[in-house]
Amino acid sequence: MAMGCCTVARNADTYHRSVGAFANESSPQQAAAKKDVNMLEQFHVPEDIAIRVPQENMRSTVEDIFRKMQMPEEDAVQAADVLMYADIRGVESHGVSNMMRAYVAGFQQGRINPNPDWKIVRQAAAVCTIDSDKGHGLVIGPAAMNIAIERAEKYGIGSVSVTNGAHFGAAGYHAIMALEHDMIGIAMTTGGVSVLPTQGSERMVGLNPIAIAAPGRNEPPFIFDASMSSVAGNKIVLAKRLGVDALPAWVAGADGAPIMDAQPVPDDFKILPLGGTREIGSHKGYSLAVMIEILSGVLSGGAAGPLRRGGASHHFIAYKIDAFVDVDLFKDDMDAYMAALRESAPAPGEDRVVYAGLPEHEEEIERLEHGIPYHPEVIEWFQSITAELELPDRFS
């Protein structure tokens, strides 16, 4: 329990209050357009082998597994909600397919504390720092974002740094928590130190995602969520599972030389920063990743890159819109801009223009209706782990 704060309750319905209000709506333009996806098509499970699972079945199973890992009931439900947000919106890299086995291993190896005594260790007005006591980021992250929101209600802005933590799932989940409060949310975290600096050959920088969520009125909200690496580390896992090639300038070989043609992921690879090479802007992705190391790691006392201590670090910000501008004006302007973006002329060979959050919104509609497509290997793992833990099999 955090000291000096009141925690806003989170549950499986909160995500739908924040984002899912749009889940049953789509404009004629959106419905008529060819449906985009938020991931490159090659990373989707082929429909001819996909096993469709209702989200409530997977959610219940994930909650059961977290309980078996000794997480308290409320924490198990919260942690599952973060993962299901990713799966429902098509963010497979941070859903159950990639993350659950890593989390189970983290609990079993003592890297994740199922019952942390997390606390605020430093604070001043709108800001504070939390020591999460190795608590799961799927739980500590939402709690920290709630504190940022509470302080933004009072001061117009709230900012929380977290140290001594663990992986917090999809950054977008934490950012969208601000939307129902008429706020803009930002969340970032230090990912695994897997990325080369521009012109470097040693892994010195984390994968380091950042997310920003901003509300509109009728348009689906703008939700940007991306790592500052050329490709999310978990997409490499997906590539290997699906047997697809890494694209040019995603990874480097063991010597740090960028691989500039599509080929299977090598056994010994290093991930390039966003942009791939200096000539096409990798210094920008590299420096943004360093920025996240500073705001999440250095600012919280957790240090940066290969010098980190105490696990993952996170940073959360909430902006109260009406402290800056009239909320109705903001939402009207957001709707106008988002509509202008998606109605703008596409380039030759393209069907339409989208903005961050729109493809995921459309994927959510489809998956809530037809179920979430999982690779057979993923379902096999869940059947194996539930049998091992003596839990119900909801996939037969």
Side-chain angles (χ1 to χ4, degrees), residues 193-196 201-203 207 229-240 246 250-259 263-272:
V193 183
S194 307
V195 181
L196 301 178
S201 64
E202 296 181 54
R203 298 178 182 93
L207 294 158
S229 54
S230 58
V231 60
N234 288 333
K235 283 196 176 77
I236 299 296
V237 178
L238 283 175
K240 289 192 171 187
W250 274 9
V251 299
D255 63 356
I259 296 174
Q263 61 176 259
V265 180
D267 290 333
D268 190 1
F269 68 90
K270 297 172 180 178
I271 298 177
L272 294 168

Side-chain angles (χ1 to χ4, degrees), residues 6-25:
C6 57
T7 300
V8 179
R10 298 282 297 172
N11 57 46
D13 296 327
T14 305
Y15 156 64
H16 288 288
R17 292 202 302 273
S18 298
V19 176
F22 299 97
N24 296 314
E25 305 173 11

Side-chain angles (χ1 to χ4, degrees), residues 115-338:
N115 288 281
D117 181 24
W118 64 271
K119 57 180 69 72
I120 294 173
V121 294
R122 196 179 189 98
Q123 61 181 322
V127 305
C128 70
T129 298
I130 291 172
D131 181 332
S132 69
D133 191 30
K134 296 184 179 179
H136 207 314
L138 304 184
V139 176
I140 308 301
M145 190 67 197
N146 276 325
I147 295 172
I149 290 167
E150 291 165 1
R151 298 194 179 208
E153 284 285 3
K154 182 175 182 179
Y155 298 105
I157 189 170
S159 182
V160 177
S161 287
V162 179
T163 190
N164 193 23
H167 191 271
F168 80 171
Y173 180 95
H174 311 287
I176 65 141
M177 290 173 59
L179 299 183
E180 65 178 311
H181 301 278
D182 287 337
M183 295 183 186
I184 296 169
I186 295 178
M188 64 191 81
T189 187
T190 55
V193 183
S194 307
V195 181
L196 301 178
T198 295
Q199 299 170 332
S201 64
E202 296 181 54
R203 298 178 182 93
M204 298 295 294
V205 186
L207 294 158
N208 296 7
I210 185 171
I212 178 171
R217 187 186 310 282
N218 299 313
E219 291 287 324
F222 176 87
I223 306 171
F224 172 77
D225 179 355
S227 71
M228 296 300 99
S229 54
S230 58
V231 60
N234 288 333
K235 283 196 176 77
I236 299 296
V237 178
L238 283 175
K240 289 192 171 187
R241 178 182 299 136
L242 298 174
V244 301
D245 289 345
L247 294 183
W250 274 9
V251 299
D255 63 356
I259 296 174
M260 299 305 292
D261 57 341
Q263 61 176 259
V265 180
D267 290 333
D268 190 1
F269 68 90
K270 297 172 180 178
I271 298 177
L272 294 168
L274 182 65
T277 67
R278 176 66 177 81
E279 292 74 17
I280 51 178
S282 69
H283 59 293
K284 301 174 185 178
Y286 162 44
S287 296
L288 285 168
V290 171
M291 177 197 77
I292 294 170
E293 293 281 353
I294 295 167
L295 291 177
S296 298
V298 180
L299 189 61
S300 69
L307 306 177
R308 292 179 198 163
R309 52 184 173 268
S313 297
H314 323 301
H315 192 71
F316 306 90
I317 309 171
Y319 297 89
K320 187 179 182 182
I321 292 169
D322 72 3
F324 296 85
V325 69
D326 179 77
V327 172
D328 289 334
L329 175 62
F330 179 91
K331 291 185 175 181
D332 288 343
D333 285 347
M334 281 294 298
D335 274 4
Y337 189 35
M338 297 301 102

Side-chain angles (χ1 to χ4, degrees), residues 44-46 49-53 92 97 101 238 240-243 372-382:
H44 278 217
V45 179
I49 67 168
I51 298 174
R52 292 268 177 173
V53 177
E92 273 91 348
S97 298
R101 59 194 86 192
L238 283 175
K240 289 192 171 187
R241 178 182 299 136
L242 298 174
I372 300 168
Y374 291 106
H375 195 283
E377 185 273 337
V378 172
I379 298 302
E380 289 172 8
W381 180 84
F382 272 99

Side-chain angles (χ1 to χ4, degrees), residues 11-16 19-24 35-39 44 52-60 80-97 170 173 176 357-374:
N11 57 46
D13 296 327
T14 305
Y15 156 64
H16 288 288
V19 176
F22 299 97
N24 296 314
K35 186 172 76 69
D36 290 271
V37 292
N38 70 304
M39 295 177 65
H44 278 217
R52 292 268 177 173
V53 177
Q55 68 88 17
E56 57 270 20
N57 287 13
M58 182 58 78
R59 182 187 298 272
S60 295
D81 198 47
V82 182
L83 289 171
M84 295 313 301
Y85 160 88
D87 276 358
I88 289 169
R89 288 175 66 82
V91 189
E92 273 91 348
S93 60
H94 283 71
V96 303
S97 298
Y173 180 95
I176 65 141
L358 178 57
E360 293 87 350
H361 158 76
E362 294 170 341
E363 191 72 15
E364 176 183 359
I365 295 171
E366 194 273 338
R367 291 186 176 206
L368 288 176
E369 181 177 355
H370 299 292
I372 300 168
Y374 291 106

